[in-house]
Amino acid sequence: MIIKLIHSGKFYSSIFLLYMGQLQKNQRLIEYNHFENKRRSTVKKVFLISVLIGVCFLSACQKNNMGTIPELNKTPESQVIDQSNDEQEKNDDTKEETSKESLIDLKEYDGTKEITLQWKNQKSSANFAQAPLLPFGLYIPNQMEIYKFDDGDKWGYDNNKQHISLLEYDDIYFTDLNLQNNELQKYEEYVGSKKHDGPSQIEILFEDYFVLEKDNKKYVLSLYYFESEKETALPMFLEVLKHIRYVSE
């Protein structure tokens, strides 16, 4: 029977099929072992990373705990000192917030027509000029002129390129403030400034804004000057604002 199978060729076919089946099993086994080894390697890596993270976390906790241990061991005397230091820091912060001074000492106009103004190394007599539309007046030094417009007067020099304006209050004046002048931040009335330095601007122009309040009504004072005139205009304008007077009806 076996001899017949061999002669018929079926025997060789069966052997070949068995061989191919075993070869496929071996290939699957190799692939499985390769996958399993890869998976185990990944698990080991994840485990090692987790261990490292845990060690770092514990180390950080220990450092934090070491930093807080002295707080627990503080004596009552040291706690009192710390409380005093905290209170001193709070007082310093409060002083910074309340250290602003008033620029304008607003008084009622008493009929004085002329006074002397002084700023930096300048000294000049100044004549009283009343705003035509608002209940205020300013003492204008000889270096300045009055420029009259339909919506009110302006006081300045250099053909109104540098000037002071006094206007009724409106929030629109403060919508695009883009600068805080360090020199003016000490004043209570100071709100902020605008700096015009765009590509179409031939020279940098500044506008400084102040709010004046009288009888629960607010007014806006603004200073206009070019950067090249800042050292001349700003000190003089501030001196003028300091002596603004209220004119009752």
Side-chain angles (χ1 to χ4, degrees):
M1 184 68 179
I2 295 175
I3 294 172
K4 289 182 179 181
L5 287 172
I6 292 173
H7 287 293
S8 63
K10 293 181 179 180
F11 175 78
Y12 294 106
S13 297
S14 299
I15 293 298
F16 178 75
L17 291 174
L18 289 173
Y19 172 77
M20 291 301 296
Q22 187 62 37
L23 186 62
Q24 290 176 353
K25 286 181 180 180
N26 291 339
Q27 183 65 28
R28 292 193 192 100
L29 182 61
I30 292 171
E31 291 177 355
Y32 173 77
N33 289 336
H34 176 73
F35 171 78
E36 187 66 18
N37 290 334
K38 189 175 181 180
R39 185 186 67 81
R40 289 176 181 175
S41 177
T42 302
V43 171
K44 287 181 180 180
K45 288 180 181 178
V46 172
F47 176 74
L48 289 174
I49 292 172
S50 301
V51 170
L52 289 174
I53 292 174
V55 170
C56 293
F57 178 76
L58 290 175
S59 177
C61 290
Q62 287 178 350
K63 288 182 179 179
N64 290 335
N65 291 334
M66 289 176 65
T68 57
I69 288 174
E71 297 289 334
L72 299 175
N73 295 331
K74 280 188 175 181
T75 62
E77 291 80 2
S78 63
Q79 291 178 356
V80 170
I81 293 174
D82 287 346
Q83 290 177 357
S84 300
N85 291 336
D86 292 341
E87 291 177 359
Q88 183 64 37
E89 290 178 0
K90 290 180 181 179
N91 292 334
D92 291 341
D93 293 339
T94 303
K95 286 181 181 178
E96 290 180 2
E97 293 177 356
T98 60
S99 63
K100 290 190 175 183
E101 60 186 75
S102 178
L103 170 65
I104 302 170
D105 181 18
L106 186 60
K107 298 177 181 178
E108 190 167 348
Y109 179 59
D110 61 3
T112 302
K113 299 293 185 181
E114 183 179 333
I115 65 172
T116 299
L117 298 182
Q118 188 171 355
W119 64 96
K120 296 178 69 175
N121 59 345
Q122 296 285 328
K123 191 174 183 179
S124 174
S125 60
N127 295 312
F128 187 77
Q130 184 175 349
L133 304 178
L134 298 173
F136 298 97
L138 299 85
Y139 285 98
I140 306 303
N142 295 330
Q143 293 87 340
M144 295 172 59
E145 298 178 316
I146 301 174
Y147 303 99
K148 294 187 174 295
F149 297 91
D150 293 338
D151 59 347
D153 292 352
K154 295 180 181 180
W155 306 271
Y157 67 97
D158 194 15
N159 293 321
N160 200 38
K161 293 178 181 178
Q162 279 65 228
H163 67 261
I164 299 172
S165 292
L166 176 60
L167 307 163
E168 289 187 341
Y169 184 89
D170 195 319
D171 289 333
I172 194 172
Y173 296 118
F174 314 121
T175 54
D176 54 351
L177 298 179
N178 58 9
L179 178 69
Q180 284 292 313
N181 188 324
N182 294 330
E183 189 175 347
L184 303 178
Q185 284 183 327
K186 62 182 179 180
Y187 297 122
E188 295 176 353
E189 298 88 349
Y190 177 66
V191 180
S193 302
K194 298 178 184 178
K195 181 179 180 181
H196 302 277
D197 58 352
S200 61
Q201 194 74 29
I202 298 176
E203 185 179 353
I204 295 175
L205 173 68
F206 292 102
E207 299 179 41
D208 300 323
Y209 285 87
F210 302 80
V211 172
L212 175 65
E213 188 169 352
K214 177 63 177 177
D215 297 333
N216 296 321
K217 189 173 181 180
K218 294 180 179 180
Y219 303 87
V220 176
L221 286 160
S222 58
L223 312 180
Y224 293 75
Y225 52 89
F226 285 98
E227 185 176 40
S228 60
E229 288 292 319
K230 180 178 180 180
E231 296 300 320
T232 300
L234 187 56
M236 180 169 61
F237 288 170
L238 292 177
E239 181 68 10
V240 172
L241 294 189
K242 288 178 182 178
H243 296 86
I244 190 171
R245 293 292 182 262
Y246 173 69
V247 182
S248 58
E249 297 179 358

